[in-house]
Amino acid sequence: MDDATRAEFADFVTVQVRPLLGFAHALTADPHDAWDLTQETLARMGERWGRTAYDAPGAYARTVMVRLNIDRIRRLRRELPRSTAGPDVAVPVEHLDGMDPWLVDALATLSPRQRTALALRYVEDLDVRGIAERMGCSEGTVKSQLSRGTERLREHARDRGLLTTREG
């Protein structure tokens, strides 16, 4: 990579590292995994930076990140034995600036696929088709993950008295 290309990539990293880290945190619900995912994404982008022309490098980086996260989830499923603990196991999550603690806790209760779908929908503002493309699955799967994840968030809010049900 020549000096001009290296400087261009450094500028990209400077601008994108915080938004990518925030997105990675939304995907993983763990600050350490988020940082690892961000580093791996930037490493992959850096490998191809001088050889590939990107129309929207930030969007492409998020696509790389989603796919790396899916690979990470699959690898963890193969490597980690199934836990005998119930769903009440606490997941350590660092609170992001500007996010309500109950929301961070609620996101940690979602499955990785639900969290990914919701992050792509509400953080990246993608439609169902765009989410399906990034996740590499069908639109029906995306709709299912969004529906289940949203309902789980509602339940979490109801349990904490933050959402009331309408009776009517």
Side-chain angles (χ1 to χ4, degrees):
M1 184 181 306
D2 65 23
D3 289 341
T5 305
R6 188 174 291 116
E8 183 183 305
F9 181 68
D11 291 343
F12 169 78
V13 170
T14 300
V15 170
Q16 291 293 321
V17 72
R18 287 189 58 80
L20 286 173
L21 187 57
F23 182 57
H25 198 162
L27 291 174
T28 64
D30 180 89
H32 303 290
D33 289 340
W35 184 242
D36 290 345
L37 189 58
T38 302
Q39 288 179 327
E40 182 63 24
T41 299
L42 291 172
R44 297 278 176 101
M45 293 292 292
E47 289 172 358
R48 294 191 172 100
W49 191 261
R51 297 175 287 169
T52 306
Y54 300 106
D55 291 333
Y60 185 76
R62 285 165 179 72
T63 299
V64 168
M65 182 175 282
V66 167
R67 293 187 178 158
L68 285 171
N69 191 51
I70 290 169
D71 291 345
R72 181 187 71 85
I73 293 164
R74 288 178 181 151
R75 189 174 48 254
L76 286 173
R77 283 187 189 150
R78 286 191 307 264
E79 294 174 359
L80 296 178
R82 298 245 182 232
S83 173
T84 57
D88 295 332
V89 175
V91 177
V93 177
E94 180 180 298
H95 299 292
L96 294 174
D97 293 337
M99 284 186 72
D100 289 327
W102 78 268
L103 180 57
V104 175
D105 292 340
L107 288 171
T109 68
L110 301 177
S111 73
R113 289 177 62 88
Q114 290 169 351
R115 201 167 38 250
T116 300
L118 286 169
L120 288 169
R121 177 67 187 107
Y122 295 105
V123 175
E124 292 297 305
D125 198 29
L126 293 178
D127 62 4
V128 171
R129 175 178 282 143
I131 295 168
E133 289 172 6
R134 291 245 181 120
M135 291 180 66
C137 63
S138 71
E139 290 182 24
T141 299
V142 169
K143 291 175 185 177
S144 170
Q145 296 300 318
L146 288 171
S147 175
R148 290 178 185 156
T150 302
E151 184 53 36
R152 206 154 187 193
L153 291 177
R154 280 189 193 112
E155 289 172 14
H156 197 82
R158 274 189 217 106
D159 291 348
R160 275 140 191 86
L162 299 170
L163 184 67
T164 57
T165 57
R166 284 191 236 167
E167 295 183 34

